[in-house]
Amino acid sequence: MSDIAAARSFALGLPGATEEPHHDMSSFRVAGKIFATVTPDESRLHVFVREPEISAAVAEDPVAFEPLQWGKAIRGLRVHLPAAPADRVRELLTEAWLGKAPRRLIAEFEQQPPG
């Protein structure tokens, strides 16, 4: 089980990560690029990972994870925090961050990954 406080703390511990408003949600960004958003009720994260990570997460736990669809395309993963294992949430946030971070921050992360 995970919660928004733990997810927020982890996400903001990634090099260069910030939290900023995004419409009616909050977003986690690196170099101005959104890698995750938090729903207004803070019970779900939208994590912008790629396929096959989306399919793998949904297959392992369809209660905790579901595809995030915008229009006709799947854009990421919706994470139901109360049902999601904390270690898996950290993995997904890291994967999303890696997809958006500039090389210099990735190098910094590889030198000292968050605990």
Side-chain angles (χ1 to χ4, degrees):
M1 177 157 73
S2 191
D3 63 27
I4 190 57
R8 178 175 279 122
S9 176
F10 182 82
L12 293 175
L14 294 165
T18 62
E19 185 172 5
E20 300 176 36
H22 180 69
H23 304 287
D24 63 339
M25 296 187 265
S26 186
S27 67
F28 299 116
R29 301 172 189 233
V30 61
K33 297 176 183 176
I34 296 173
F35 65 92
T37 59
V38 181
T39 60
D41 68 2
E42 297 192 336
S43 69
R44 288 181 171 75
L45 281 177
H46 297 161
V47 183
F48 300 103
V49 293
R50 296 184 182 144
E51 195 60 53
E53 190 68 53
I54 296 164
S55 293
V58 172
E60 73 189 39
D61 190 344
V63 173
F65 308 111
E66 64 182 273
L68 175 63
Q69 192 161 348
W70 286 347
K72 295 182 181 183
I74 294 175
R75 302 292 182 176
L77 191 64
R78 181 173 287 120
V79 179
H80 182 62
L81 287 169
D87 61 335
R88 190 66 169 115
V89 173
R90 289 189 297 270
E91 288 174 16
L92 291 166
L93 284 169
T94 300
E95 188 70 26
W97 178 88
L98 286 166
K100 304 290 182 169
R103 287 186 201 151
R104 69 176 175 76
L105 290 178
I106 293 172
E108 181 181 326
F109 172 81
E110 289 171 347
Q111 293 296 317
Q112 278 191 305

